[in-house]
């Protein structure tokens, strides 16, 4: 493998890790094996720490393909709790309000999900990496400051209801770049006349990268340790 010329790795990001944690692990493993301090390593598409699944990590000259790779269609499996909201729209923050759910039926959920398929407007979460006056929105939100973000146009190809319970649903979402599944959970809750927040998220596809083809972080580290690698040329 030639990590300087560029390699593309499909990694199953663990729960609790940031995308930066994964990139750092790959970079450090490569630096130790190759005996170099600087090596370009980047990822195509951020995943929140509370999400798992497909992350595409590029090295060397392959980092030039990041924009192209992260533009690929994405697929997620999301578990959404009904009847309660949190400021971050997921489990990062505590529940701040509860709502009745007795009126929510499976038929209502299926009808409501259909309203979010196609080209839609979505306001990103305040707890996101979007920039406000040059600062990350999440940094401002975590300080208790009001964050106002403008809606973005995005495309959701399909939403499939996988399971329904009185207090939660599981859905498969196929969507384009820029979709916040946390914000989708918020909007679904509002459309159901209740509240909702994301409790689990797994990305199962990014373009041609499928979860079944991903390696764990430890497997990638072992691959780097044991595989034949093209080493940088030493000066004469």
């Amino acid at each position: 493998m030639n990590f300087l010329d560029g390699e593309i790795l499909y990694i199953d990001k663990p729960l609790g890790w940031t995308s930066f944690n994964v990139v750092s692990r790959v970079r450090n493993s490569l630096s130790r094996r190759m005996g170099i301090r600087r090596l370009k390593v980047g990822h195509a598409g951020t995943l929140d720490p509370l999400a798992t699944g497909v992350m595409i990590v590029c090295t060397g000259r392959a980092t030039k393909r990041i924009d192209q790779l992260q533009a690929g269609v994405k697929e997620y499996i999301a578990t959404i709790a009904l009847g309660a909201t949190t400021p971050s729209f997921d489990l990062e923050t505590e529940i701040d309000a509860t709502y009745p759910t007795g009126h929510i039926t499976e038929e209502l959920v299926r009808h409501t999900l259909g309203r979010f398929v196609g080209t839609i407007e979505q306001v990103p979460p305040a707890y996101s990496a979007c920039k406000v006056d040059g600062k990350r929105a999440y940094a401002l939100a975590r300080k208790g400051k009001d964050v106002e973000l403008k809606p973005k146009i995005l495309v959701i190809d399909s939403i499939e209801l996988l399971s329904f319970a009185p207090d939660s649903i599981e859905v498969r979402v196929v969507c384009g770049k820029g979709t916040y599944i946390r914000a989708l959970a918020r909007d679904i809750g509002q459309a159901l006349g209740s509240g909702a927040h994301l409790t689990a998220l797994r990305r199962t596809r990014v373009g041609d990268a499928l979860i079944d083809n991903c390696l764990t972080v430890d497997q990638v580290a072992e691959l780097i340790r044991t595989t034949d690698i093209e080493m940088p040329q030493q000066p004469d």
Side-chain angles (χ1 to χ4, degrees), residues 128-140:
S128 69
C130 294
K131 286 193 174 182
V132 179
D133 297 329
K135 297 181 179 179
R136 298 293 184 185
Y138 64 74
L140 299 173

Side-chain angles (χ1 to χ4, degrees), residues 2 39 46 52 56 59-60 70-71 108 115 119-120 124 128-129 143 150 164 171 176 189 194 204 207 214-215 225:
N2 193 324
L39 175 66
T46 300
T52 65
I56 301 178
T59 74
Q70 68 185 8
L108 176 61
R115 294 166 51 184
T119 301
I120 66 169
S128 69
K143 292 179 180 178
K150 295 180 180 179
F164 169 80
V171 297
S194 182
T204 53
C214 288
L215 300 175
R225 189 181 69 82

Side-chain angles (χ1 to χ4, degrees), residues 10 13 17 32 38 40 68 71 81 95 103 105 126 143 154 174-175 179 181 184 187 192 200 203 210-211 225 228:
Y10 298 164
K13 188 191 83 64
W17 285 49
R32 286 195 300 270
R38 293 185 179 181
K40 284 187 177 181
Q68 170 199 345
I95 290 173
H103 64 287
T105 63
K143 292 179 180 178
L154 51 88
V174 179
C175 58
T179 304
I181 306 300
L184 181 62
D187 296 341
L192 288 170
R203 187 158 68 190
L210 305 177
I211 191 64
R225 189 181 69 82
D228 289 334

Side-chain angles (χ1 to χ4, degrees), residues 3-235:
F3 289 97
L4 288 173
D5 274 352
E7 297 288 350
I8 298 175
L9 303 169
Y10 298 164
I11 299 176
D12 185 353
K13 188 191 83 64
L15 183 67
W17 285 49
T18 66
S19 299
F20 179 76
N21 291 152
V22 176
V23 169
S24 293
R25 177 72 181 277
V26 173
R27 183 187 292 114
N28 291 340
S29 295
L30 285 170
S31 295
R32 286 195 300 270
R33 174 72 195 281
M34 300 173 69
I36 57 176
R37 290 186 177 180
R38 293 185 179 181
L39 175 66
K40 284 187 177 181
V41 182
H43 65 85
T46 300
L47 270 181
D48 292 333
L50 296 179
T52 65
V54 179
M55 260 195 68
I56 301 178
V57 175
C58 302
T59 74
R61 296 182 181 91
T63 55
K64 295 179 180 179
R65 297 184 57 194
I66 283 177
D67 287 344
Q68 170 199 345
L69 293 167
Q70 68 185 8
V73 171
K74 298 173 179 64
E75 180 181 273
Y76 298 89
I77 304 297
T79 304
I80 300 171
L82 305 176
T85 57
T86 71
S88 59
F89 312 149
D90 64 6
L91 295 177
E92 181 182 342
T93 53
E94 298 292 328
I95 290 173
D96 60 357
T98 58
Y99 303 85
T101 59
H103 64 287
I104 299 177
T105 63
E106 183 172 345
E107 181 181 3
L108 176 61
V109 170
R110 291 186 184 278
H111 174 75
T112 301
L113 294 179
R115 294 166 51 184
F116 292 94
V117 176
T119 301
I120 66 169
E121 281 192 351
Q122 183 185 82
V123 178
Y127 286 76
S128 69
C130 294
K131 286 193 174 182
V132 179
D133 297 329
K135 297 181 179 179
R136 298 293 184 185
Y138 64 74
L140 299 173
R142 286 168 183 159
K143 292 179 180 178
K145 297 184 178 180
D146 291 332
V147 177
E148 186 173 342
L149 296 171
K150 295 180 180 179
K152 295 184 177 182
I153 304 296
L154 51 88
V155 175
I156 295 182
D157 297 291
S158 66
I159 307 179
E160 177 187 359
L161 180 63
L162 300 178
S163 66
F164 169 80
D167 58 353
S168 70
I169 58 174
E170 185 179 59
V171 297
R172 177 185 289 110
V173 181
V174 179
C175 58
K177 178 183 177 182
T179 304
Y180 283 93
I181 306 300
R182 288 181 289 135
L184 181 62
R186 169 204 62 197
D187 296 341
I188 289 171
Q190 291 175 351
L192 288 170
S194 182
H197 63 282
L198 193 68
T199 57
L201 183 65
R202 185 157 178 78
R203 187 158 68 190
T204 53
R205 174 189 170 197
V206 179
D208 295 331
L210 305 177
I211 191 64
D212 290 343
N213 298 329
C214 288
L215 300 175
T216 66
V217 172
D218 287 341
Q219 286 172 334
V220 171
E222 181 67 10
L223 174 71
I224 292 171
R225 189 181 69 82
T226 60
T227 196
D228 289 334
I229 291 179
E230 188 79 19
M231 293 296 188
Q233 293 183 349
Q234 299 296 327

